[in-house]
Each structure stands twice: as C-alpha cells, then as structure tokens.
Amino acid sequence: MTTERADLLVVGAGPAGLAAAVTAALGGLRVTLLDAGPGLGGQYWRHPAPGAARELRSSTRRYHHDLRTYAALTDSVARLAERGALAYRPNHQVWTAAVSDGTSGGFVAHAVDRGDARAEPRARRYSGSRLLVATGAYDRQLPFEGWDLPGVFSAGGLQALLKGNGARAGSRVVIGGTGPFLLPVAVGLAQAGAEVAAVCEASSGAGWLRQARALSGVPGKLVEGAEYAAELARYRIPLRPRTAIIAARGDRRVEEVTTARLSAQGAVVPGSQRTLVADTVGVGWGFAPQLDLAVTLGCELTGSADGNEVVVVDAGQRTSVPGVSAAGEVCGVGGAVLALREGQLAAEAVLADSGREPVTGAADLERVRRLVAAHRAFATAMHTAHPLPPRWGEQVGDDATVCRCEEVTAGAVRAAVDEGAGDARQVKQLTRAGMGWCQGRMCAAGVECLVRSTRPDAPSAGAPLRMPASERLVATPVPLRALVAESDA
C-alpha cells in the first residue's frame, strides 16, 4: 500500500473543507481533500450523484442556497486539480487519523475507498504535514413512541432526499423538533408537492426577544427568516410553537401522528394531545458535531450552548494539538456562512505557519474575522432560543425503543439507572444502548434525557443538557478486508 503525501490533509468537503482546501492550495500548499460523499459540497450543498440526469440536477437547484459560492469553489477545485495543487478524493471514508510514526512527522489519515461500486472497498492511506478536520455534523434525535416506524425520518434525511434525488418521502408530512432548520425542510417539501400538515416547534420563540444584539450582527438571517415566513404562509403551513410530536402510529408505516403542547420545562401539558393524519414524519432536534477524528487525535473539547461538546480553537482555527486545525460544525453548529469563513481562516493560519504569503488581503481578513464573530454570536443565540426540552424523557414510555440498533427500550435504560448507572456511558455498559451500527449517534441524546429524568439527583429542570463526546478509534464501520490490507502494509 502506498501513502499519498501532501502538505495539508483536509477531511470533509462541505463548506468549511472546501473553503480551506481552495485557500490553502491557492497559497501554494499541496492539498489532499478527502470526503465520504460522491461529490463536493457536503450535506449543505448535497447534489444528485455525478452522472445523474441533467433534468434532475436542474430540478434540485431550488432547494439550495448560495449556489454562486458553491460554483466558484468547485470551479477552483477543478482548476487546482488540473495544476496538481489539489487532489480531491471522493467516496473516501476516513475511519481514523493519527500522528505519523515516520521520520517526517505529520499525520496519517486511514480511509476506505468506496468509489468503485463493482469492487470491494479498498484501504487507502494519506499523510500530510498538517491536518484539518471539517467533518460536519449529523441530525440529533430524541425518541418517542413509534419513531422506528417506516415513514419516520430525520429532518436532514428528508432534505437529503430532496437535494440528492429530487424526491419527497411522502404526501402528507408533519415536521417536528426545534430550530430554524425545520423551516427549509418544510418549505422544500411543499415546493416538491407534499402537504405539510404542521411544523411543531418545541420552543416558544420568546427566547429570540432576548437576542436582539446577536440578531443585529447578521441582518441576512432576519431577511432569510422573513422569506421562510412568507413561504409558510404561501403554502398554508401552520407553525405551532411549544408543540412536539410525541407519537407516530400505523400498521406497517406511519398513518397518524400525535402532537402535544409542552410546558416551559418541556413536559407534555395534560389534555393537549392532538392527532393528525400523516404518512411521513420529519424530526430534528438540532445537530451534533462529528467529533470522532478530533477526539482520537486528542483535541481539547469544550461545552457549547446547544449541549454538545465542540473542538476548542484559537483565532486561526488551530486546535490544542500542534498541526491540527478544525473548522465548521465540529467547532460549533452555526451554519454554512460560518463554516465557510472558518475554513478560510484555518487555511490562512496554515499558510502563515508554513511561511507562505496570505491569499486573503489584510482588510478582507479582518472583515472575515468580524463575520465569524457575528455568526458565532448568532449561533449561541439560536441554541439558547431553541434548547432541548429538559424534561423530554418523562413522556417516553417504557416500551418505546431508544437504541434502535440494539433494540434497547426506555424501560431498560431506566432499569439501568435504577441499578446505579449515572450517565450514558454506564447505561451503554449495562444495556448495549449505543453499541450498534450507528455507535450511539441516534440514541445518545435520548439516553441522556432518560438518565436525567430517572435519577433522583438529576440537574434542575431548567439546566441545559450536556452530551459528552465519545471516543471511537474506528469512526465508521470498516470491512475486515481493508484492515487486513492495512496490516499487510
């Protein structure tokens, strides 16, 4: 097995990784850009697979934002690749990264190449003097009765179908959870011809009234919000504040949905239940950063306003590990504009540390820093205004499945807590919740909510939930054949 070498390894080709890779390559560094997807853009600029019909690619454009920036970045990648300054490797799932044990130092990324559908996945190794982690985030979920029925999707999954396939998952949809992301999902489904019966927002919206300063720093967000409000009105989509989906029922798939009002602490208000006919449910409780590589590399983490742990970075997006940078959602979920600019700052810092001239002028660089600060403040305000319901675990029945991979019920989690488990890690040891295919990505938040509501010494109802990151030395399922190839090498 040969090892492809570069000055900078960038893991993740979403907005942050794209901006970082292009900026670093323009500054004269040899860059390798690794991404698990088949095309550039990550989840935010998810497109139909290369080779898809032109009509499909054209029809999905309406579900995107800022395609001008995307086109500029992808054009730059193509030009830099032709010059040999940037190597783009799609369909490469990086399953671990480590400090190189070679004499040249730097880092090694171990990946599985799934680019050839006709062949077995192949093990690949890439090394770089420096490494930038831009692995993004995934949908955060909370369990409820029937959430494992066919027809129940994450909100991001519904949007991925629209962007990647031009397909709506159902005809009559109920959207629930919390956060502004619910709005583009609902509008996109309506544009695709679905009837959106309701958008159930767990928060009241009143939290935004205390965030006027953060809002004023990003006026574009206000405009965007007004546009979505107009689209909701246009498609007659009801927005129900302080309301949540608490059950989905059906014979072989979703047929109806039960919603309920929530108290200020997130408890179900007795007698407020309401049944809606629906064939599809989309649920999203914000996002959780994809921290596997950062944790494995030993990067320092800190708590965020949304309850997640995030990577600690300095003004140049450098982590606590020399030579490792991070940008985008791994530093805190804050949207595409923030991720883009963090990627740009990270690359400029790498150029400076390498003794290279900057690509961005001094005045523009200062403007980028101000933009990053403003969007980080907005992100904090957003998370504060849209918290997870602290008492959500109370309404989850004992028979409800919490860990779908290992089929662990809420009752089993509560029994583990009664036996002495004090956090999600100890619950995992007693019940296997979080030990399945997804490695806890879908159930971690739900387990934490149940631990909190079951323990007699649980934090006060108003305190924010905290979900510590788990260490996964193997970040994604890897075929044994690939591990054998690594061992032989």
Side-chain angles (χ1 to χ4, degrees):
M1 183 189 302
T2 58
T3 301
E4 185 175 310
R5 301 187 182 278
D7 298 319
L8 174 66
L9 292 178
V10 178
V11 183
L18 270 177
V22 167
T23 303
L26 288 173
L29 297 180
R30 291 177 297 120
V31 178
T32 297
L33 176 59
L34 306 168
D35 191 75
L40 296 166
Q43 296 300 325
Y44 181 72
W45 283 315
R46 187 187 186 102
H47 285 78
R54 180 180 299 178
E55 292 78 8
L56 175 60
R57 299 185 69 83
S58 176
S59 67
T60 58
R61 290 178 61 87
R62 61 181 171 176
Y63 306 124
H64 287 276
H65 290 83
D66 198 11
L67 284 175
R68 181 178 298 179
T69 298
Y70 171 77
L73 288 168
T74 53
D75 288 347
S76 295
V77 168
R79 290 196 304 271
L80 290 163
E82 288 178 2
R83 288 165 35 189
L86 189 154
Y88 167 49
R89 300 288 180 257
N91 298 301
H92 276 59
Q93 182 78 59
V94 176
W95 59 270
T96 196
V99 177
S100 174
D101 56 3
T103 56
S104 59
F107 303 89
V108 177
H110 300 261
V112 176
D113 178 1
R114 306 179 189 273
D116 189 347
R118 298 167 297 180
E120 290 284 338
R122 300 183 63 182
R124 304 286 189 190
R125 259 197 330 231
Y126 299 86
S127 69
S129 302
R130 290 175 170 81
L131 173 68
L132 190 145
V133 179
T135 43
Y138 54 90
D139 286 75
R140 188 168 61 183
Q141 297 294 302
L142 293 178
F144 55 91
E145 179 189 343
W147 76 313
D148 49 352
L149 273 174
V152 179
F153 294 78
S154 68
L158 290 176
Q159 191 181 67
L161 284 171
L162 288 172
K163 289 183 174 182
N165 302 87
R168 55 180 172 84
S171 299
R172 183 174 168 84
V173 188
V174 179
I175 304 294
T178 193
F181 180 65
L182 303 180
L183 303 183
V185 175
V187 170
L189 287 166
Q191 290 173 340
E195 178 188 357
V196 181
V199 175
C200 302
E201 165 58 62
S203 72
S204 67
W208 283 110
L209 299 177
R210 297 185 292 273
Q211 308 297 335
R213 185 174 181 180
L215 282 170
S216 65
V218 283
K221 294 292 186 181
L222 291 171
V223 174
E224 189 176 342
E227 290 173 348
Y228 281 126
E231 289 295 292
L232 292 178
R234 175 188 174 190
Y235 288 104
R236 298 182 179 180
I237 301 172
L239 176 62
R240 296 178 178 165
R242 193 153 280 172
T243 302
I245 297 169
I246 62 169
R249 300 184 180 88
D251 184 12
R252 296 188 178 181
R253 63 162 295 130
V254 174
E255 296 173 1
E256 64 179 33
V257 174
T258 300
T259 67
R261 293 275 294 171
L262 299 181
S263 69
Q265 289 75 40
V268 171
V269 176
S272 66
Q273 290 84 350
R274 179 176 180 179
T275 299
L276 300 174
V277 175
D279 59 16
T280 305
V281 178
V283 184
W285 295 95
F287 298 90
Q290 193 82 266
L291 295 174
D292 305 293
L293 298 184
V295 172
T296 297
L297 289 163
C299 299
E300 181 185 351
L301 306 179
T302 189
S304 178
D306 59 358
N308 292 309
E309 287 195 321
V310 297
V311 180
V312 175
V313 292
D314 67 8
Q317 302 297 130
R318 303 175 188 88
T319 73
S320 60
V321 178
V324 178
S325 302
E329 313 289 51
V330 294
C331 304
V333 176
V337 174
L338 177 58
L340 276 166
R341 297 313 176 190
E342 286 185 348
Q344 184 180 0
L345 288 181
E348 289 291 359
V350 171
L351 288 171
D353 295 343
S354 304
R356 303 273 183 167
E357 291 295 319
V359 174
T360 310
D364 285 340
L365 198 58
E366 183 57 34
R367 181 182 62 82
V368 170
R369 291 194 181 100
R370 290 197 300 270
L371 195 63
V372 165
H375 277 268
R376 283 178 178 168
F378 174 83
T380 299
M382 175 181 68
H383 300 321
T384 303
H386 296 275
L388 293 181
R391 294 176 59 184
W392 180 262
E394 296 176 9
Q395 65 85 33
V396 181
D398 281 347
D399 293 335
T401 300
V402 176
C403 174
R404 302 199 284 190
C405 298
E406 296 292 327
E407 299 182 345
V408 179
T409 64
V413 172
R414 290 188 174 109
V417 175
D418 289 339
E419 292 173 11
D423 55 29
R425 184 177 182 85
Q426 292 175 336
V427 168
K428 178 171 71 173
Q429 293 167 341
L430 292 174
T431 68
R432 293 189 60 84
M435 295 182 71
W437 185 269
C438 84
Q439 287 291 283
R441 291 176 177 86
M442 291 296 103
C443 65
V447 171
E448 287 289 348
C449 282
L450 286 168
V451 171
R452 177 194 184 98
S453 63
T454 305
R455 283 179 53 189
D457 59 341
S460 62
L465 287 167
R466 292 296 181 198
M467 283 151 288
S470 299
E471 182 174 9
R472 303 181 181 95
L473 296 178
V474 179
T476 185
V478 183
L480 288 176
R481 182 188 301 271
L483 293 180
V484 169
E486 283 271 11
S487 178
D488 290 345

